[in-house]
Amino acid sequence: MNQYKARYKTGSDKEFQLLSSHCQETSMYTELFAKEIGLPKPALLTGLLHDLGKNCEPWQDYLDEKKLSIKITDKKDHASAGGQFLYGKIAQNGDIHNELVGQLLAACIMYHHGSGLPDVIKPDGTAKLHDRLNKKEINLNEAVVNLDESIRQKIDAIFSDENFITDTMNTLEKLSDLGKGKANSSFNIGLTARFLSSCLIDADRSSSTFYDRGIPATIEAVNVKADWGVLRGLLEARLDQFPKEGKINEIRRDISARCADYADRESGIYTLTAATGAGKTLAALRYALIHAEKYKKERIFIIAPYTSILDQNADVIRNILDPGGENGRIVLEHHSNLDQSDMAEYYIDSSQTWNVPIIITTMVQFLEALFGFGTKKIRRMHRLTNSVIIFDEVQTLPVSCAYLFTWALQYLCQSGNASALLCTATQPGFDKLEEPYRLQLSPSNEIIPEITEHFKALKRVELIDKTKKGGWTLDEAAEFIEYLPEQNILTVVNTKPQAQKLYATLIKKHPDWEIVHLSTNMCPAHRKKIIEKLKKTLRAKAEKCVCISTRLIEAGVDIDFDAAIRFLAGFDSVIQTAGRCNRNGLLRDSLGNPINGKTYIINIVRGDENISSLKELKLGQAVMEQVLRQFHADKVRYNRDLLHPALIDLYFLYFFEGFSETDLKYKVFSGRNDTILDLLSTNGESKSEYKEFIKSKSDDEKKCLTRFCQSFESAWKAFDVIASDTVAVIVSFEKGRDIINDLYADPDQKRIEELLREAQQYSVNVYCKDLAHLINARVVKQIENIADSKIYVVEREYYDDHVGLNYNADGLP
């Protein structure tokens, strides 16, 4: 029998990986991965059959043509054969359960490249999966005849088990039925399909990578084991070094101890509602390490909303658990803004696979592993099972993702054996949402027993309502800043134009003050440099210091001001600003007694605040005004404290009531009621379109509809965690100048990719609707010598060392 090839070794036209070896290795890995949810045999089948279509002479000829660089007009399909073969074996009797299992496994095989799972039914009602299941001219019979005998025996052994379909269906029912109804059950079927697809994609890529590098295909290579006991010992040693004197340190030790106690509890979903400065990061890590060791979890995920929090936490955690170590060995810091210019091969591998004990990443990366488009994102999904997932500042989750998040987290914890800890000072109340979208927390879920007393004990700031009828002008806001006696003052505004105007007003009037501007008009490298300088200035306390910032400074930046002002926004944002005031409890009166800092809320007149497109901010302001009225109407009830936890609960209750169910399910199409959650569950409108579509078809052309009917591709393409119609432009800040020069120097494709990865730290996003105007005004220029790429750069004179991208200064709109 011929030795069929799976692929040629990268860079070689002679060495090749045997198809039989590749399929055996892939199936070994898929079986291993899928044990986490109890579906090892179905996953084993997908691994054995995913490349069945390569098992024939036409495909082998095609591979050789590719090797010789002979011009090929069309890619030759090798994935349909395995899917059709498996579907035929499973669904031949027409039973609805067999049909569901057959469709699901066939889809995983047929779409293990490219976009990932398809639209089983497209929104227009056409049946994309069924069309591929009936695709002709794929050499199926020849491929089956040439099947490797050892692989054939494994397949026959599975199908000789008369309970295989029943057992598989029972497991699918167990995984999908979490007591929340038909839509949730279908949604969970879809997540199970994505999980199995993830297992196959990772297994397939891993086998190929190991062959390329000459690495033995072992279980250990795809499943790095952590020594949780050793890592826990390192954390405990560091905790013992922290100061023990003082009230705040006593509270921090108590929270850490409670987290350690809670770690003994069974897997589930818990909450840690702790005030700013309570030591949540290391207390949550302590919970995770103890829990992972006790319940044999594979990984720990720490999910942060913004890269500023992530960078800070990653540095702290890596310095404790892997001092001197490299990113991606024990602790992986993974986000899009990371400078990858000098990253080693193992970091690239780790970021693609999440095959690392501890992964510190963003909410964007977490949600894209579950709902993102393309096999690169799908590949990581299976690593989330049997893990501990810590969510830092979970209240920052975009509203449109609320129901997707609660259902996915419930699935991961109840069906995927994960445990979750939701950490924040302002719990968003996902457990109080309407059914069936409510997040089901574990019994006695809250780690802090008396939240009100906890916040009172850690209180270091007074929140003061200075809103007034009609609002404040920006000039009045500037005067208020000047009026405050504190040595250093933080002011957090709602928009970038507000930040620039307020900064310009103050710098003109007080050139002797240290006045700092922060906004996303500054590239990440610029912001990081400014923040580090600002911290040094604040520690020195040698001069008057005022920082004017958009809300980016609220994102976990460890910085401490004597006073703060927050332009009216949602309660969570107000509290985050307050958390930068007297953060370390160092303020003293003239006699040396501790005193609270002051954070003021002011509202801005409409003419000075254009937020018409910011729906969540507008609603947050309205709800905050409602909460302020309720507080002033009964101050005694809230102990005359605007930071009372009961007011925070009230805010989120009103806030979510302000959104329609469609908003919370991620609306996608205009003119239809579809949401991403609908497309990924019952897919009702698409099914209705399908029923209209088949009316003219004969009975044998009509396809069986099951709970596996989702429009995966359409939903995943539409999913964008931070929906923003923007484009990145590279700026001339420090190393950014060199990157721009190198791009103009006509580099090869590999160098272009390297430069663009580096450029993430030196880029600013501008709205797509403004791009043409900026190009016409010669603020932005496209690099035209790079074919098939739209790379934009900002002309040097329009990037300011103080405010970043600054085209308003020359009268541009």
Side-chain angles (χ1 to χ4, degrees):
M1 182 177 289
N2 289 337
Q3 285 191 321
Y4 291 108
K5 300 180 284 285
R7 56 191 294 278
Y8 280 97
K9 186 174 184 178
T10 301
S12 172
D13 60 359
K14 294 180 181 178
E15 295 181 77
F16 60 85
Q17 185 177 21
L18 275 175
L19 179 60
S20 57
S21 299
H22 173 62
C23 290
Q24 295 276 19
E25 292 169 7
T26 301
S27 65
M28 174 177 68
Y29 292 150
T30 54
E31 181 181 28
L32 171 72
F33 297 152
K35 283 180 181 178
E36 300 288 6
I37 63 169
L39 290 172
K41 284 186 178 180
L44 177 65
L45 280 175
T46 66
L48 291 170
L49 289 167
H50 77 290
D51 276 355
L52 177 64
K54 296 181 178 181
N55 227 31
C56 60
E57 294 303 325
W59 200 91
Q60 294 293 310
D61 292 341
Y62 163 79
L63 182 63
D64 289 337
E65 289 172 2
K66 282 182 65 179
K67 175 198 67 173
L68 297 172
S69 300
I70 296 174
K71 187 175 181 180
I72 300 172
T73 55
D74 296 308
K75 292 184 69 174
K76 193 168 185 64
D77 178 5
H78 71 271
S80 292
Q84 287 189 10
F85 174 76
L86 189 57
Y87 177 75
K89 294 279 286 186
I90 294 175
Q92 57 188 337
N93 67 359
D95 179 82
I96 190 70
H97 291 163
N98 289 54
E99 187 73 31
L100 187 153
V101 174
Q103 289 180 25
L104 191 156
L105 297 182
C108 291
I109 289 174
M110 293 193 294
Y111 295 90
H112 69 276
H113 289 293
S115 62
L117 294 176
D119 286 342
V120 181
I121 301 175
K122 293 173 68 68
D124 65 5
T126 54
K128 184 172 182 178
L129 176 61
H130 288 297
D131 290 343
R132 190 160 182 184
L133 285 170
N134 289 285
K135 182 178 179 180
K136 307 300 182 184
E137 299 177 355
I138 58 170
N139 305 102
L140 174 59
N141 292 335
E142 181 185 350
V144 173
V145 168
N146 294 332
L147 194 61
D148 179 82
E149 188 58 33
S150 62
I151 291 176
R152 188 189 304 277
Q153 289 175 5
K154 289 184 178 181
I155 294 169
D156 290 344
I158 292 174
F159 283 117
S160 66
D161 180 0
E162 61 183 17
N163 295 320
F164 169 65
I165 297 298
T166 301
D167 290 346
T168 299
M169 196 62 215
N170 287 340
T171 301
L172 286 175
E173 292 288 5
K174 182 180 177 182
L175 293 170
S176 65
D177 187 9
L178 304 183
K180 290 184 177 289
K182 182 179 178 181
N184 179 254
S185 179
S186 295
F187 179 86
N188 293 333
I189 287 285
L191 279 181
T192 300
R194 185 174 173 108
F195 175 90
L196 289 171
S197 176
S198 172
C199 295
L200 177 58
I201 292 164
D202 193 16
D204 179 36
R205 307 293 192 275
S206 296
S207 170
S208 298
T209 299
F210 296 154
Y211 173 76
D212 265 358
R213 297 177 187 170
I215 299 172
T218 62
I219 294 295
E220 292 74 21
V222 295
N223 204 22
V224 172
K225 292 290 186 182
D227 191 330
W228 299 124
V230 170
L231 296 177
R232 178 188 174 186
L234 292 169
L235 176 61
E236 298 290 348
R238 180 61 62 88
L239 293 176
D240 285 342
Q241 295 173 9
F242 288 150
K244 297 178 174 56
E245 299 77 20
K247 185 178 180 181
I248 289 178
N249 289 325
E250 181 182 338
I251 293 170
R252 288 171 176 166
R253 287 200 312 277
D254 179 64
I255 292 171
S256 180
R258 290 195 61 82
C259 283
D261 291 340
Y262 257 69
D264 283 334
R265 299 194 178 205
E266 63 183 15
S267 297
I269 305 175
Y270 299 94
T271 57
L272 175 60
T273 309
T276 302
K280 289 191 294 290
T281 299
L282 294 186
L285 179 62
R286 193 179 192 191
Y287 163 86
L289 288 170
I290 297 172
H291 190 75
E293 182 179 17
K294 181 177 177 66
Y295 292 99
K296 297 180 171 55
K297 303 296 185 185
E298 297 287 344
R299 278 160 293 281
I300 292 171
F301 288 90
I302 299 172
I303 313 295
Y306 309 113
T307 55
S308 54
I309 297 179
L310 193 151
D311 286 337
Q312 184 174 285
N313 289 351
D315 286 343
V316 171
I317 292 169
R318 192 184 299 109
N319 287 338
I320 294 173
L321 301 184
D322 190 22
E326 299 168 300
N327 188 8
R329 295 288 195 192
I330 293 175
V331 178
L332 170 68
E333 178 185 353
H334 180 213
H335 56 86
S336 60
N337 281 343
L338 201 63
D339 185 353
Q340 299 181 18
S341 57
D342 59 352
M343 289 299 177
E345 187 176 77
Y346 65 81
Y347 167 79
I348 304 298
D349 290 345
S350 298
S351 64
Q352 290 175 346
T353 64
W354 282 353
N355 183 25
V356 186
I358 299 173
I359 300 98
I360 306 175
T361 191
T362 60
M363 181 66 84
V364 171
Q365 296 285 350
F366 170 78
L367 290 172
E368 286 189 340
L370 292 161
F371 306 113
F373 175 74
T375 52
K376 287 183 179 180
K377 294 170 183 174
I378 297 170
R379 180 179 184 179
R380 305 182 187 112
M381 188 257 192
H382 74 94
R383 299 290 184 181
L384 293 167
T385 58
N386 195 30
S387 64
V388 186
I389 310 174
I390 306 297
F391 294 96
D392 195 3
E393 306 296 356
V394 69
Q395 81 285 348
T396 59
L397 178 82
V399 167
S400 60
C401 299
Y403 290 171
L404 289 167
F405 175 80
T406 59
W407 274 10
L409 186 59
Q410 205 82 59
Y411 175 87
L412 289 173
C413 293
Q414 289 187 234
S415 299
N417 195 35
S419 288
L421 184 62
L422 311 182
C423 302
T424 179
T426 53
Q427 291 290 345
F430 292 139
D431 58 318
K432 299 178 180 65
L433 295 173
E434 293 184 357
E435 288 290 7
Y437 309 109
R438 181 179 299 161
L439 186 64
Q440 184 178 331
L441 301 177
S442 298
S444 302
N445 59 278
E446 177 53 54
I447 292 178
I448 306 296
E450 296 291 340
I451 293 175
T452 301
E453 290 303 313
H454 164 77
F455 275 77
K456 185 177 179 181
L458 271 174
K459 186 172 181 179
R460 288 155 290 167
V461 62
E462 298 284 345
L463 187 58
I464 302 168
D465 178 17
K466 285 289 185 178
T467 60
K468 64 181 181 180
K469 187 175 181 180
W472 298 60
T473 67
L474 287 179
D475 286 338
E476 288 173 335
E479 291 173 1
F480 185 55
I481 294 170
E482 295 173 287
Y483 162 79
L484 294 178
E486 283 83 1
Q487 178 75 359
N488 51 75
I489 303 159
L490 169 66
T491 300
V492 180
V493 303
N494 289 325
T495 68
K496 290 184 284 188
Q498 286 175 338
Q500 283 203 3
K501 184 175 179 180
L502 198 54
Y503 172 81
T505 299
L506 288 170
I507 200 74
K508 184 176 181 180
K509 295 173 70 174
H510 299 281
D512 55 321
W513 290 5
E514 177 70 13
I515 302 175
V516 175
H517 169 279
L518 282 170
S519 83
T520 52
N521 270 349
M522 306 158 78
C523 66
H526 192 179
R527 298 198 302 263
K528 187 173 183 179
K529 183 175 181 178
I530 292 294
I531 289 171
E532 289 306 312
K533 181 182 176 183
L534 179 59
K535 288 180 178 181
K536 292 178 181 178
T537 300
L538 292 174
R539 285 195 293 268
K541 291 186 178 293
E543 55 189 324
K544 184 82 171 185
C545 179
V546 175
C547 176
I548 310 297
S549 177
T550 57
R551 65 174 298 179
L552 70 87
I553 202 168
E554 296 172 353
V557 178
D558 188 3
I559 201 163
D560 193 354
F561 290 86
D562 295 342
I565 300 166
R566 183 56 167 98
F567 285 16
L568 184 66
F571 211 163
D572 52 333
S573 289
V574 171
I575 289 173
Q576 288 297 328
T577 296
R580 316 302 138 202
C581 177
N582 196 26
R583 185 177 181 86
N584 297 316
L586 300 177
L587 286 180
R588 298 290 186 271
D589 63 16
S590 58
L591 299 176
N593 299 312
I595 57 173
N596 290 327
K598 292 181 174 63
T599 295
Y600 304 91
I601 308 171
I602 65 174
N603 57 327
I604 303 301
V605 297
R606 290 185 179 179
D608 284 350
E609 186 167 67
N610 181 11
I611 59 170
S612 57
S613 62
L614 305 175
K615 182 176 180 179
E616 289 186 31
L617 175 58
K618 286 178 66 178
L619 179 61
Q621 287 183 333
V623 174
M624 190 63 199
E625 288 176 332
Q626 187 177 0
V627 169
L628 290 172
R629 288 194 297 271
Q630 195 148 338
F631 169 74
H632 290 301
D634 192 357
K635 290 183 180 180
V636 174
R637 180 179 180 182
Y638 303 106
N639 297 329
R640 303 183 182 278
D641 182 6
L642 254 177
L643 289 169
H644 196 286
L647 288 171
I648 299 171
D649 290 342
L650 198 64
Y651 169 82
F652 281 108
L653 177 65
Y654 293 156
F655 182 72
F656 282 112
E657 286 178 350
F659 289 93
S660 69
E661 183 178 274
T662 299
D663 290 328
L664 297 168
K665 291 164 66 176
Y666 204 125
K667 174 78 171 164
V668 282
F669 294 131
S670 59
R672 285 175 55 146
N673 293 321
D674 296 79
T675 65
I676 287 183
L677 189 138
D678 295 325
L679 294 174
L680 294 177
S681 56
T682 51
N683 205 12
E685 291 209 30
S686 302
K687 287 171 74 171
S688 295
E689 293 288 342
Y690 171 72
K691 289 173 183 176
E692 288 295 317
F693 172 72
I694 64 169
K695 281 183 178 178
S696 62
K697 302 289 184 181
S698 62
D699 287 342
D700 61 346
E701 291 178 302
K702 295 176 182 179
K703 313 300 180 184
C704 176
L705 291 178
T706 71
R707 282 181 294 163
F708 191 64
C709 59
Q710 293 83 352
S711 296
F712 292 113
E713 185 175 350
S714 293
W716 295 343
K717 278 184 175 178
F719 183 73
D720 189 359
V721 181
I722 305 174
S724 179
D725 187 18
T726 61
V727 61
V729 295
I730 307 171
V731 300
S732 296
F733 176 76
E734 295 185 347
K735 192 176 180 181
R737 299 188 188 105
D738 297 331
I739 293 172
I740 292 171
N741 290 336
D742 287 350
L743 286 168
Y744 274 120
D746 199 21
D748 61 28
Q749 185 59 38
K750 182 178 179 181
R751 180 58 179 153
I752 290 171
E753 292 172 0
E754 293 172 351
L755 289 168
L756 292 181
R757 283 197 296 268
E758 293 181 55
Q760 290 174 346
Q761 286 291 306
Y762 301 91
S763 297
V764 171
N765 289 329
V766 300
Y767 286 107
C768 294
K769 62 183 178 63
D770 295 334
L771 182 62
H773 175 77
L774 293 173
I775 291 173
N776 290 336
R778 298 184 180 180
V779 175
V780 172
K781 185 176 182 180
Q782 182 177 353
I783 298 180
E784 297 179 350
N785 63 305
I786 299 177
D788 302 322
S789 296
K790 290 187 176 180
I791 301 172
Y792 301 99
V793 300
V794 174
E795 296 289 7
R796 185 172 299 188
E797 63 265 32
Y798 292 104
Y799 194 83
D800 184 88
D801 285 343
H802 300 288
V803 298
L805 185 59
N806 186 27
Y807 47 88
N808 286 333
D810 289 324
L812 296 173

